[in-house]
Amino acid sequence: MSGANGTNGVSKPLPTHADAVVIGGGLVGCSILYHLAQKGWTGSVLLERSELTSGSTWHAAANIHGLHDITNISRIQHYTMNLYRTLEAETGQGCGIFQPGSLYLAQTEAREHQLRIQAAKARRYSMKFHEVSRDEAERLHPLVNFDGIRCIMYEPDGGNVDPSGVTHAYAAGARAMGAEIHRFTPVTGTEAQPDGSWLVRTERGDIRTPWVINAAGLWAREVGRMAGLELPLIPTEHQYLVTETIPEIAAAGRRLPSVADRDGEYYLRQEGLGILVGAYECEMKFWAEDATPADFGHELFPDDLERLEAGLGGAMIRLPALQRAGIKRVINGPMIWSPDASALFGPVPELSGYFCCNGIIPGFSQSGGLGKLAAEWIVEGEPTLDMFGWDLARYGHWVGKSFVRSRVRDVYTHRFKIHFPTEERSAGRPVRTRPAYAMQAEMGAVFGLNFGWEHPLWFAAHGEPREETYGFTRQNWFAPVGREVQMLRERAGIIDISNFAKYRVAGPGAEEWLNALFANRMPRAVGRSCLTPLIGQRGGIAGDFTVTRLAQDEFMVIGSGMAERFHARFFQALPLPAGTTFESTTERMCGFNVAGPRSRDLLQRLTNANLSNEAFPFMASARITVAGVDCTALRVSFTGDLGWEVHCAEADQVALYAALLEAGRDLGAGPVGSRALMSLRVEKGYGSWGRDYSPEYWPQECGLDRLVKSNKDFLNKAAWERIAANPPRERMTMLEIDATDADAWGGEPVFLPDGTPAGQVSSGAYGFHVGKSLAIAYLKPELARAGDTVHVAILGRDTPARVLDHPPFDPDGHRLRM
Ligand SMILES: Cc1cc2nc3c(=O)[nH]c(=O)nc-3n(C[C@H](O)[C@H](O)[C@H](O)COP(=O)(O)OP(=O)(O)OC[C@H]3O[C@@H](n4cnc5c(N)ncnc54)[C@H](O)[C@@H]3O)c2cc1C
């Protein structure tokens, strides 16, 4: 047996210092080490408690796929699939790569839409994924029965790899660049040091490092706890079986493609001369719910074929030769899940120099991309792709064990269920509600989840179904949302915006600190607000905020609710001046946006404050009393219409809501949900963080450069200066689409009529007031100009659209200023 450092019995001592310490020598930890070394951090060290691959990695089926519903995940997977061959050539370590292709089958209309949307994205990013006829599919895989299949896609690079080979190839590549791997070296503690570094403790000695990387897979929770971190993860059992030789496969004389028949909740591919079938069973089983045993090694759980029956049954119909095959072995091993089955990725906002890459389910499809982005984030301060959907900061302290358990049960048992753009899964909810929740439920609210908060998406009228239907086409919420948009645009609407993130900055240094943080100059006059971007480490848009000067030394900052923990990383980057405080008031404050042409009349009924345009102009703010409730009122509205945001203490929310609804009744005003807000802001061309604004986009690409003040300092100004003079790579643009039964949502590729990729949609909605299907898209300025016709891939099919030179609703902003 070779020794602790993998050098044939010689136990090399641990270094005392390292650029970074990766904890865990599974597939993911080894990829991170490799990519750190590639970025020049060759003094990085990986510590593995046992042999490499000793967690989930060694027993995986190791299938690889390129396409995913989320574009950036497709890009990560595409990178990973291509990397394995390079890695093999670079290191000489075989990766056991089989790429006979993968066939993706659609049994339902929705699955067909999903596959066509993915195929359109593949065209945009030059990935190989295209439709094949049944004849062609039968030639590719003669053993599959394609009856009942309405659409077949083929990914020529699909297949599988050897789990151990790939992990050792990353390890060999990292070692060759100078990084060290020490096996049989369990980490026993991670201690933050006063100088900001970490001490990583092992029985063989301690290592001091600026970066700890938790890649401990099945033991991520235990390693996290060493730093006081509770990660929302739970392991489950997962099974697949491998059959004896199937004569038809032996006779085929070539490797047959794998088959993704996801409507059947199983996966299937060739293994040796037999077949490997795995399924995500309805009768799922958690394992080690509270803690993964320290002594768990290369062990598997007893088989439970009964649980696999449903998946197997479907597979046997699809591949009848399976019915006659004997079972050679069953693998039942543990894998560890986050509540949405996506990675818990990124630096922990509350711990300096601590990075997580945990809860990775399709590790073999994603290892390379996650390793690359982790290295970018650690070495360069930010990944090159927007990773918010995988950023561990998407979860907050509101995530408790029962939420994690319910969500993991749901995502495991519906592993291949389609994630529709408007999907709101009910498992584990409600988690956090505001006092007005019961009133809203009473009024017919259909709720969604935003950073743990229940918030109304739309309101069903009396007698209308309260359950959302799901699909890529317009669904049952379409008409109610249309009613809400029209009500607001014609009269007024009341939108609960309590889930916006709110912060209070107070003290003598408040203005100075905010000016040092944000790119715009803070309002000089009390009672004024400004909009400001927050600049990321590559010069892109890390956030967009409204800052209001409430008093000489007091400011209210409003930002994206779902990004509160994400933005904490930026707020913490700048020390507060003495005597100045920063606090989140999100939990103790609620708010409503009262908007629409009659909103002034509505609000004026409840306050003595003068709301006239002269006394309370656009972008002004004041502390006023509304229906006896102390409020901070801001004359801003994300609807693009005349409106105010009124913020109050959480305890006053019900009183304020009741008064607003009552005052609006005879004006024909009422409650409006967030889905109408989406339509309203898209009509007006307003971007939203996480969709149209992200660190991937530069200010000059989305028109926010006018808010970046170069004559003062701000966070990441040097990054902005590096890119400020660059012309836009793509420009944020409005499109009007000739869509009839489905609208753009986000991610749809845009092509020129000759098929040249021109960009992609960042948000889309039906504009109910202007009566048009709309999208905000990023388009290459040299390819698409106002008035041009382009094609947007709606449901994956090219749909004509026109490039607009201004937003269709109130382009001159009269309504905002009326
Ligand atoms: C039955 C099954 C089938 C699967 N099939 C597929 C598939 O087809 N395709 C696919 O992409 N994925 C598949 N997976 C998932 C895949 O296995 C995982 O995504 C992947 O292995 C995760 O790798 P990891 O490095 O994050 O974690 P792990 O493999 O769990 O590695 C973590 C490592 O950390 C080490 N460690 C833990 N604590 C410490 C400590 N204190 N000190 C030092 N080291 C420590 C462990 O020993 C271990 O080696 C499957 C999983 C299972 C269970």
Side-chain angles (χ1 to χ4, degrees), residues 77-394:
Q77 297 189 167
H78 190 238
Y79 167 79
T80 307
M81 282 169 82
N82 289 333
L83 179 66
Y84 291 138
R85 292 220 177 269
T86 317
L87 204 56
E88 212 173 44
E90 178 186 317
T91 64
Q93 164 69 53
C95 290
I97 307 167
F98 292 99
Q99 287 179 301
S102 298
L103 290 165
Y104 294 79
L105 316 184
Q107 294 186 33
T108 64
E109 184 184 49
R111 184 71 66 181
E112 179 177 346
H113 290 154
Q114 183 196 33
L115 292 183
R116 291 196 185 287
I117 292 167
Q118 291 184 352
K121 289 185 187 173
R123 246 192 314 143
R124 154 89 174 87
Y125 291 100
S126 305
M127 299 168 186
K128 295 181 207 151
F129 186 85
H130 60 268
E131 186 168 10
V132 289
S133 66
R134 177 165 176 165
D135 278 358
E136 205 173 340
E138 282 171 347
R139 271 196 299 279
L140 287 163
H141 204 318
L143 305 188
V144 170
N145 167 10
F146 291 97
D147 287 354
I149 300 300
R150 45 189 297 155
C151 165
I152 308 166
M153 294 284 171
Y154 180 56
E155 181 178 41
D157 291 338
N160 66 286
V161 291
D162 166 34
S164 169
V166 165
T167 309
H168 283 94
Y170 282 130
R175 280 198 191 104
M177 288 182 270
E180 287 185 23
I181 295 179
H182 293 265
R183 297 172 302 133
F184 303 102
T185 310
V187 169
T188 53
T190 53
E191 291 165 20
Q193 301 301 297
D195 66 355
S197 68
W198 287 85
L199 210 56
V200 178
R201 295 205 182 275
T202 81
E203 284 176 4
R204 298 179 54 217
D206 302 338
I207 306 180
R208 193 178 274 271
T209 180
W211 276 99
V212 169
I213 297 148
N214 178 348
L218 288 176
W219 292 266
R221 292 172 300 172
E222 289 66 36
V223 167
R225 282 172 193 147
M226 292 174 192
L229 191 64
E230 204 50 49
L231 291 168
L233 294 165
I234 299 193
T236 66
E237 295 187 8
H238 177 58
Q239 304 188 85
Y240 64 84
L241 61 80
V242 179
T243 70
E244 303 282 5
T245 294
I246 294 179
E248 292 91 329
I249 292 184
R254 64 183 165 95
R255 184 99 175 173
L256 297 170
S258 63
V259 180
D261 180 13
R262 290 178 168 164
D263 296 310
E265 288 286 345
Y266 66 86
Y267 53 88
L268 181 162
R269 70 163 169 84
Q270 183 172 338
E271 172 73 11
L273 294 176
I275 286 285
L276 179 154
V277 191
Y280 291 91
E281 319 92 327
C282 302
E283 299 288 311
M284 57 85 67
K285 260 179 123 171
F286 290 111
W287 174 72
E289 286 192 42
D290 295 317
T292 303
D295 57 355
F296 187 80
H298 278 230
E299 293 150 56
L300 292 171
F301 307 123
D303 322 342
D304 191 347
L305 281 176
E306 244 173 58
R307 276 198 285 135
L308 270 185
E309 235 168 49
L312 269 181
M316 283 177 185
I317 295 169
R318 192 62 61 215
L319 201 141
L322 259 179
Q323 293 165 15
R324 300 180 292 278
I327 295 175
K328 187 155 105 187
R329 65 173 189 276
V330 179
I331 300 284
N332 185 6
M335 62 208 298
I336 190 159
W337 299 72
S338 76
D340 56 6
S342 295
L344 293 181
F345 190 60
V348 176
E350 298 76 25
L351 299 174
S352 160
Y354 194 102
F355 196 95
C356 286
C357 191
N358 306 122
I360 292 117
I361 299 305
F364 290 89
S365 301
Q366 298 179 354
S367 65
L370 286 170
K372 177 173 183 282
L373 294 169
E376 288 174 356
W377 210 333
I378 292 165
V379 176
E380 294 161 3
E382 197 176 276
T384 45
L385 296 182
D386 173 19
M387 291 301 292
F388 187 74
W390 305 274
D391 190 330
L392 53 82
R394 71 190 180 279

Side-chain angles (χ1 to χ4, degrees), residues 24 27-28 48-49 56-57 59 61-63 187 218 360-364:
L27 167 75
V28 170
E48 163 55 48
R49 63 178 190 120
S56 284
T57 298
H59 56 250
N63 303 318
V187 169
L218 288 176
I360 292 117
I361 299 305
F364 290 89

